[in-house]
Amino acid sequence: MVESHAPALEMLWEAHDPDEALDGRFGFSDRESATRWVAAMLNEHWGVRIQSCDRIVMSDHNALAWVHTPSGRMLAKWSVVPRRFQQLSEMARLTRWLDDRGLPVSAPVPATDGRLQVEVDGVSMGLQHEIRGDLLDTTDQRQVRAAGAVLAELHDALAAYPDNDRGAGLERPSEPLTARITSWLDSGAEHLPATARDTLRRLVVCAPPNRLPMQLVHGDFRSANILYAGAEVAAILDFEEAGFDHRVVELARSAVMLSTRFRNWGPVSGEVRAEFLSGYQCARQLTPVEAGWWDALVLWHALALVPPGGDPTGWGPSALSHLADLTNRQL
């Protein structure tokens, strides 16, 4: 029997009333009815009887429920956006494959009929065992290096994934890398200093002309999605933003965004970015072409996070600091 107390209810990052979101987005009039529905889904499709549900977190039209079961704490995750259901199923298969190869991921628990993602009545749900750990702390040098190394291992595994052809619906860049950055400079960078824009244009022009290989990447590798237990990565979470891109593009983006979680995103120092890159290269060296793109990509991602107007968390000074470092190295 499920305990009757209402679970804690919260929004992951949005500033909305969670009870209103629970009703308006998911159709539950109260927290207790949501708990009963989760219990019924897990019992019917996984044969899992829950003892209690102590927390539900919502993000857009997705929700996560932490539940206690006789075999330990588990995490039920569901979406009510039908156009995402195929991708969720594919990512469940991918995560299971990565887990089978020893990568630290949160693998889906198969339903009683073998499905990794259950679609029923306009809902797509998956179930996982809870993995205990803390989010990546970018003030811990060992964690930062380990995160870089794990990303390199993940990239190698994703490049070997045998079902890459099933990712036809995943995001793919519509332009070559040079055109992507140039288009952004032409349309979205008016609020940035001219010196920063000019430097990025010059770095792009000077970058190696050789084409970088495209492959499946995680899509959102940062503190919010990296769990640590002790000094080791316990789990890489949330493959829902996975798509196709160049390895070094994800590496640079992750280096810039490494400390970001759910609210009040802020940058890391150049020293942290360097430590992250060093950890990556301990597991896999950048190719000469990738290394030739590194400075341009880090500056691009750093500048892309500078908001127009107010900048309470300091993305502008961080980007300008990186620009100054580049200038000093070239003197």
Side-chain angles (χ1 to χ4, degrees):
M1 179 177 291
V2 183
E3 293 180 10
S4 59
H5 73 270
L9 189 65
E10 57 190 280
M11 307 301 299
L12 185 62
W13 56 270
E14 299 165 274
H16 292 301
D17 180 271
D19 288 291
E20 292 181 2
L22 186 68
D23 185 5
R25 301 179 189 185
F26 301 97
F28 298 118
S29 58
D30 54 47
R31 305 178 188 196
E32 291 83 356
S33 62
T35 297
R36 290 192 294 271
W37 175 81
V38 170
M41 284 285 289
L42 297 189
N43 184 39
E44 178 180 356
H45 297 286
W46 279 269
V48 172
R49 293 184 179 274
I50 74 170
Q51 298 162 327
S52 65
C53 174
D54 56 16
R55 183 184 181 208
I56 296 177
V57 176
M58 293 167 289
S59 173
D60 192 35
H61 286 74
N62 309 301
L64 303 92
W66 279 259
V67 299
H68 290 268
T69 77
S71 60
R73 281 168 59 88
M74 303 185 82
L75 176 64
K77 187 173 184 178
W78 71 95
S79 172
V80 294
V81 185
R83 61 180 171 77
R84 303 194 65 237
F85 289 0
Q86 181 180 358
Q87 182 180 357
L88 291 174
S89 293
E90 294 302 332
M91 290 305 101
R93 293 178 72 253
L94 169 64
T95 308
R96 188 73 180 184
W97 183 86
L98 291 169
D99 179 67
D100 288 343
R101 277 140 192 84
L103 273 293
V105 296
S106 184
V109 175
T112 53
D113 62 4
R115 285 183 292 174
L116 300 178
Q117 195 77 17
V118 172
E119 295 178 21
V120 59
D121 297 331
V123 173
S124 177
M125 176 179 275
L127 181 66
Q128 307 164 19
H129 290 286
E130 182 188 49
I131 297 178
R132 295 300 184 97
D134 298 309
L135 297 180
L136 165 67
D137 178 3
T138 55
T139 66
D140 187 322
Q141 186 179 59
R142 293 176 304 169
Q143 289 191 16
V144 170
R145 287 183 65 84
V150 164
L151 179 59
E153 295 167 6
L154 177 63
H155 280 169
D156 284 343
L158 291 174
Y161 183 49
D163 291 334
N164 268 306
D165 58 328
R166 296 176 65 99
L170 299 181
E171 288 292 326
R172 293 174 182 264
S174 59
E175 299 177 303
L177 186 52
T178 297
R180 286 159 64 186
I181 299 175
T182 302
S183 296
W184 175 79
L185 282 166
D186 291 341
S187 62
E190 298 85 358
H191 62 290
L192 298 171
T195 52
R197 289 176 284 161
D198 292 344
T199 299
L200 181 54
R201 287 186 190 277
R202 179 175 52 77
L203 288 172
V204 170
V205 168
C206 295
N210 312 59
R211 292 183 65 86
L212 292 162
M214 189 82 67
Q215 72 158 74
L216 189 61
V217 296
H218 180 275
D220 198 19
F221 191 88
R222 56 191 177 92
S223 178
N225 292 323
I226 307 170
L227 282 182
Y228 272 82
E232 296 184 353
V233 176
I236 305 164
L237 306 174
D238 196 358
F239 281 76
E240 293 176 11
E241 300 300 322
F244 290 87
D245 210 330
H246 311 297
R247 294 188 189 202
V248 70
V249 171
E250 170 153 271
L251 177 62
R253 181 176 184 271
S254 296
V256 171
M257 298 182 65
L258 195 61
S259 68
T260 61
R261 297 189 178 180
F262 310 115
R263 301 167 189 253
N264 300 318
W265 288 12
V268 297
S269 66
E271 290 75 17
V272 170
R273 291 194 299 267
E275 198 67 45
F276 182 65
L277 174 61
S278 178
Y280 187 94
Q281 295 208 97
C282 283
R284 174 191 172 269
Q285 285 288 319
L286 296 186
T287 67
V289 175
E290 288 172 331
W293 272 97
W294 176 253
D295 284 333
L297 291 171
V298 171
L299 183 59
W300 177 36
H301 289 299
L303 292 174
L305 286 163
V306 179
D311 183 15
T313 53
W315 286 106
S318 176
L320 294 177
S321 174
H322 179 58
L323 182 65
D325 290 342
L326 291 175
T327 301
N328 291 336
R329 275 192 275 132
Q330 294 166 1
L331 292 178

